[in-house]
Structure formats: C-alpha cells, structure tokens
C-alpha cells in the first residue's frame, strides 16, 4: 500500500452542501502489514445504524474547517488524538443518501488500543488491506436510486464484517489510489431498487 497515491490525488469537492460531514480513514501497520481501521455504528443511531464506517461525523459551528471536523469526531468516537494522525491527503467528497456531503481524509495512525464511545460506536474493526483486496471478499451490484439514478454499490466482506454504502465507495477509491487492486469494470449483478442488500 503506497499512500503517496492519495497525496498526489486532486480530490473532487462538493460545494454548497447544506449538511457537511468529514471522516478519517485511518491506515496503520500491524505486524508490518497495512490495515484500515473501521467503526461499526451503534444500533440505536438514527442514520446508518449498525453499518461499518470511518470515524467521523457532522460539522459543528465551532469547527474551523472540515479537517477539524474529522479530527474532532475521530477523537470523540475512538479516542484518536489529532497529534497521532499524519494526514496524507483526501479522497473525493461523497454525497450520501441522507443528504450529507462527506469529505474523507486519509491518515496514518499508530497501531494501538482505541476506545470506542459506546454512544456512537458499537465496536472497532481493523481489517487488512490484503483481505480487502482479495477478489473472493468483494462483490458489487447496480440498482436504481430514486434520486441519483443508476448507482453501483460495493461490498467488502472481511472477518465477518461487511463494508458497503458510502464507506465502501471510499474504500474502492482508497485501494485504487494506493494498491494494484481495481474494481471490476462491471458489477456482479443488476438488481431491483427494493432488492435485499447482501449484508
């Protein structure tokens, strides 16, 4: 995994969104191998309960910018201190189904024990890049979205977790910028808008 691909990337920004959020995609080395840290959202949350995500959340009036949002939320959710994060760059902004514009930052972080805030985070999962890039652990589908039209949804099934949705879209770009892995040109299937999700 070569994070200079993220550093060189010129990210697409979404301007003028009424609801802004930011996340940190934390990358760490464990036993010499690159891993990515995810959170599993608490089941009682109103938006995306139980889903895998990166530490982050909505921008507050006190945040001077979205970098501050991402770092504050990561500290609140998992106890990641801002001085521990070496930000290397950004991925493209993403518009979510809940009408948020999300700005993903990528940062190197230490491999240590993190403490989830149980009000927001059910658990922390550290997944290896080798497993995320294993073709056996990936699938995708295309379905019609009522607002955005045809959308492709990516699913990474690793260690009993499924990373998908907006976070799955971020992972695709992160891996394509930093590894030899590429999402297949075509999805595995085309499904009806109300089809069950494979999670």
């Amino acid at each position: 995994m070569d994070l200079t691909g993220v550093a060189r990337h010129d990210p697409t920004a979404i301007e003028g969104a009424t609801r802004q959020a930011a996340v940190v995609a934390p990358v760490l080395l464990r036993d010499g191998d690159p891993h990515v840290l995810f959170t599993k959202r608490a089941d009682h949350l109103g938006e995306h309960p139980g889903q895998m995500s990166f530490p982050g959340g909505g921008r507050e009036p006190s945040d001077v910018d979205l970098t501050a949002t991402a770092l504050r939320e990561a500290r609140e959710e998992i106890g990641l201190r801002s001085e521990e994060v070496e930000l290397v760059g950004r991925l493209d902004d993403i518009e979510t189904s809940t009408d948020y514009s999300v700005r993903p930052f990528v940062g190197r972080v230490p491999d240590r024990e993190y403490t989830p805030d149980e009000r927001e985070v059910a658990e922390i999962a550290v997944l290896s890049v080798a497993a995320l890039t294993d073709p056996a652990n990936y699938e995708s589908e295309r379905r019609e979205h009522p607002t955005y039209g045809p959308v492709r949804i990516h699913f990474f099934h690793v260690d009993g977790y499924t990373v998908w949705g907006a976070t799955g879209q971020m992972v695709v770009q992160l891996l394509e910028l930093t590894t030899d892995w590429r999402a297949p040109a075509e999805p595995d299937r085309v499904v009806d808008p109300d089809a069950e999700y494979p999670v």
Side-chain angles (χ1 to χ4, degrees), residues 23-27 55 67 70-72 74-75 78-89 105-110 112 114:
V23 301
V24 177
V27 177
T67 304
L71 294 175
R72 174 185 54 75
R75 183 181 66 252
I78 66 169
L80 176 64
R81 299 183 295 274
S82 58
E83 63 268 20
E84 295 181 289
V85 186
E86 180 192 345
L87 292 178
V88 297
F105 295 87
V106 178
R108 294 186 182 93
V109 303
R112 67 167 179 84
Y114 293 96

Side-chain angles (χ1 to χ4, degrees), residues 4-132:
T4 60
V6 174
R8 292 192 304 265
H9 178 62
D10 183 17
T12 300
I14 296 175
E15 304 294 348
T18 55
R19 305 175 79 191
Q20 292 182 306
V23 301
V24 177
V27 177
L28 57 89
L29 285 179
R30 177 165 291 181
D31 298 325
D33 296 320
H35 289 64
V36 182
L37 183 150
F38 298 88
T39 58
K40 184 175 182 181
R41 292 171 60 81
D43 288 330
H44 63 262
L45 293 177
E47 294 177 338
H48 310 296
Q51 289 189 19
M52 303 301 290
S53 64
F54 290 126
R59 183 174 185 174
E60 299 288 348
S62 59
D63 296 333
V64 295
D65 54 23
L66 287 169
T67 304
T69 299
L71 294 175
R72 174 185 54 75
E73 286 281 344
R75 183 181 66 252
E76 292 174 0
E77 290 189 354
I78 66 169
L80 176 64
R81 299 183 295 274
S82 58
E83 63 268 20
E84 295 181 289
V85 186
E86 180 192 345
L87 292 178
V88 297
R90 284 173 33 206
L91 306 177
D92 295 344
D93 289 1
I94 288 180
E95 195 168 10
T96 72
S97 59
T98 49
D99 295 325
Y100 271 96
S101 167
V102 182
R103 178 157 295 175
F105 295 87
V106 178
R108 294 186 182 93
V109 303
D111 180 19
R112 67 167 179 84
E113 196 75 25
Y114 293 96
T115 305
D117 179 348
E118 296 179 357
R119 294 170 297 180
E120 297 186 65
V121 177
E123 58 182 299
I124 294 170
V126 177
L127 307 182
S128 74
V129 170
L132 289 167

Side-chain angles (χ1 to χ4, degrees), residues 154-183:
H154 306 271
F155 303 88
F156 295 87
H157 306 285
V158 176
D159 296 344
Y161 301 100
T162 297
V163 180
W164 66 291
T167 305
Q169 187 178 340
M170 295 174 199
V171 171
V172 167
Q173 186 176 40
L174 174 63
L175 295 177
E176 290 189 337
L177 286 172
T178 61
T179 74
D180 293 333
W181 181 87
R182 297 293 180 269

